[in-house]
Each structure stands twice: as C-alpha cells, then as structure tokens.
C-alpha cells in the first residue's frame, strides 16, 4: 500500500516554494520594463500622438460622459481641458492613466508565463484601467464643481489607489497557474 503524503509534501504541491532568484528576476525585469515604458512615455509627451491620446481619447470621452450625466453644466472638451462656463479642469501628464497602465504592463512583462497570457493581461488590464480613469476624471469634475475637499482626496489618493488595486487584481487573476 502506498504511503500517504506528508503535510509538507501536500503544501509543496498546493503552494510551491518560489525561489528568491525568481523574485529577483521579476523585480529586475519589472524595474527595467517600467523605466523603458516611462522613458518612452516621456519621449512622446509633446508629440501629436500624445496630444491625440490625451485630447481625443481621454478628455473628449470624459466630456461626453459628463454631458450625458449633467447636460445643463455645459461641459466641453477644449484641448487638454474640460471646460464649462466659469471654470475648467486641466487633464495633465499623469492624470491620463498612462502610469497605471505602465505599471501593469511592466508587471506582465516581468511575470513568468506565456506571451499569450501576458499579452491578454496587458490588453484586458489596459482597457479596464482606461475605463476606470475615465470614471475617475468624471468624478473629479463633479468633485471640483461641488466639493473641492473631495477633489483633493480623490485626485491624489482614492482614485489612484483604486486604479492600482484593480491593476494588481488583473495581474493576480491572469497569473494563475
């Protein structure tokens, strides 16, 4: 009769020990990938491609969502600004969700797994982060119009934390053995 597995053998099958070398490999690849993505993003910062991303793909959809929710506010897209009678909100470098996407991309580049898994995680996660960032911008508009203290809290803390938490959740969801 076969001898039953020890508890340690059972745990080893369920949760294999990850060696420190793989953690160092992940950390090194993550840092290099994030650095290169940030470098590329900064290199594009004053180009027509970046203006298209910021103005057409970020600010205009946010203005359209606000118009659906509160058409009487008269919000429109003016370049990199959401503008309304009596005010405007600037969507600047860093408010466009690109850094959260870069964090997600760097994590998927660094994680062990198939390229198909990595690519699907990057695409799915980037679309999700883009959508969440649009919701964040709309929420920031309503905060700046109605309660400026909520604007600071949502702009600097709550919004970015939610987006980063979702990026982490996507990585965990897709990186299952």
């Amino acid at each position: 009769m076969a001898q039953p597995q020890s508890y340690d053998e059972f745990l080893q099958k369920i949760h294999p020990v990850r060696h420190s070398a793989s953690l160092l490999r992940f950390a090194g690849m993550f840092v290099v990938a994030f650095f290169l993505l940030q470098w590329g993003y900064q290199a594009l910062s004053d180009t027509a491609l970046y203006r298209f991303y910021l103005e057409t793909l970020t600010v205009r959809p946010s203005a359209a969502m606000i118009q659906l929710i509160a058409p009487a506010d008269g919000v429109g897209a003016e370049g990199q600004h959401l503008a309304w009678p009596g005010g405007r909100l600037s969507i600047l470098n860093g408010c466009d969700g690109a850094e959260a996407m870069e964090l997600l991309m760097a994590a998927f580049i660094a994680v062990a797994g198939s390229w198909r898994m990595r690519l699907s995680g990057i695409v799915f996660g980037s679309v999700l982060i883009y959508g969440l960032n649009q919701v964040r911008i709309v929420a920031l508009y309503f905060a700046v119009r109605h309660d400026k203290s909520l604007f600071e809290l949502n702009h600097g803390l709550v919004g970015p934390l939610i987006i980063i938490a979702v990026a982490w959740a996507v990585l965990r969801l897709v990186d299952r053995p």
Side-chain angles (χ1 to χ4, degrees), residues 3 5-6 9 36 62 117 119 149 168 173:
Q3 194 168 3
Q5 268 183 328
S6 73
E9 290 171 332
L36 291 173
S62 296
M117 179 275 297
L119 189 56
S149 65
W168 178 82
L173 180 68

Short mmCIF file of all heavy atoms in Angstrom, two decimals, residues 3 5-6 9 36 62 117 119 149 168 173:
data_model
loop_
_atom_site.label_atom_id
_atom_site.label_comp_id
_atom_site.label_asym_id
_atom_site.label_seq_id
_atom_site.Cartn_x
_atom_site.Cartn_y
_atom_site.Cartn_z
N GLN A 3 2.32 4.82 0.70
CA GLN A 3 2.37 5.63 1.92
C GLN A 3 1.70 6.98 1.67
O GLN A 3 1.90 7.60 0.63
CB GLN A 3 3.83 5.83 2.30
CG GLN A 3 4.00 6.33 3.69
CD GLN A 3 5.46 6.25 4.12
OE1 GLN A 3 6.31 5.88 3.36
NE2 GLN A 3 5.71 6.60 5.36
N GLN A 5 0.79 10.95 1.71
CA GLN A 5 1.62 12.15 1.62
C GLN A 5 1.75 12.82 2.98
O GLN A 5 0.80 12.84 3.75
CB GLN A 5 0.95 13.19 0.71
CG GLN A 5 1.35 13.14 -0.70
CD GLN A 5 0.66 14.28 -1.45
OE1 GLN A 5 -0.43 14.69 -1.13
NE2 GLN A 5 1.33 14.75 -2.48
N SER A 6 2.93 13.37 3.20
CA SER A 6 3.07 14.18 4.41
C SER A 6 2.40 15.53 4.16
O SER A 6 2.15 15.93 3.02
CB SER A 6 4.53 14.38 4.77
OG SER A 6 5.12 15.29 3.87
N GLU A 9 4.57 17.71 2.00
CA GLU A 9 4.51 17.36 0.58
C GLU A 9 3.22 17.88 -0.05
O GLU A 9 3.22 18.37 -1.17
CB GLU A 9 4.59 15.84 0.41
CG GLU A 9 5.95 15.26 0.72
CD GLU A 9 5.94 13.75 0.76
OE1 GLU A 9 4.87 13.15 1.07
OE2 GLU A 9 6.99 13.16 0.49
N LEU A 36 11.81 51.72 -19.04
CA LEU A 36 11.72 51.89 -20.50
C LEU A 36 10.36 52.42 -20.94
O LEU A 36 10.27 53.27 -21.83
CB LEU A 36 12.04 50.57 -21.21
CG LEU A 36 13.49 50.11 -21.10
CD1 LEU A 36 13.65 48.71 -21.68
CD2 LEU A 36 14.43 51.09 -21.77
N SER A 62 -14.42 61.90 -21.61
CA SER A 62 -14.82 62.37 -20.28
C SER A 62 -15.87 63.46 -20.40
O SER A 62 -16.88 63.45 -19.67
CB SER A 62 -13.61 62.90 -19.51
OG SER A 62 -12.68 61.87 -19.28
N MET A 117 -0.62 34.78 -22.34
CA MET A 117 -1.17 35.20 -21.05
C MET A 117 -0.76 36.64 -20.76
O MET A 117 -1.57 37.46 -20.34
CB MET A 117 -0.66 34.27 -19.94
CG MET A 117 -1.14 34.63 -18.53
SD MET A 117 -0.18 35.89 -17.62
CE MET A 117 1.40 35.11 -17.44
N LEU A 119 0.18 39.04 -22.88
CA LEU A 119 -0.46 39.98 -23.81
C LEU A 119 -1.93 40.16 -23.48
O LEU A 119 -2.44 41.28 -23.48
CB LEU A 119 -0.28 39.51 -25.25
CG LEU A 119 -0.69 40.48 -26.34
CD1 LEU A 119 0.05 41.82 -26.19
CD2 LEU A 119 -0.43 39.90 -27.71
N SER A 149 -12.81 69.80 -1.37
CA SER A 149 -12.06 68.91 -0.48
C SER A 149 -12.11 67.47 -1.00
O SER A 149 -11.14 66.72 -0.87
CB SER A 149 -12.58 68.99 0.95
OG SER A 149 -13.91 68.51 1.02
N TRP A 168 -3.45 45.41 -9.93
CA TRP A 168 -2.93 44.27 -9.18
C TRP A 168 -3.88 43.08 -9.28
O TRP A 168 -3.45 41.94 -9.45
CB TRP A 168 -2.70 44.67 -7.73
CG TRP A 168 -2.20 43.54 -6.89
CD1 TRP A 168 -0.92 43.10 -6.77
CD2 TRP A 168 -2.99 42.68 -6.05
NE1 TRP A 168 -0.87 42.04 -5.91
CE2 TRP A 168 -2.12 41.76 -5.46
CE3 TRP A 168 -4.34 42.63 -5.75
CZ2 TRP A 168 -2.57 40.77 -4.58
CZ3 TRP A 168 -4.78 41.65 -4.89
CH2 TRP A 168 -3.90 40.74 -4.31
N LEU A 173 -5.40 37.76 -11.29
CA LEU A 173 -6.40 36.97 -11.98
C LEU A 173 -5.81 36.23 -13.18
O LEU A 173 -6.06 35.05 -13.37
CB LEU A 173 -7.54 37.88 -12.45
CG LEU A 173 -8.70 37.22 -13.19
CD1 LEU A 173 -9.48 36.32 -12.24
CD2 LEU A 173 -9.60 38.26 -13.79
#
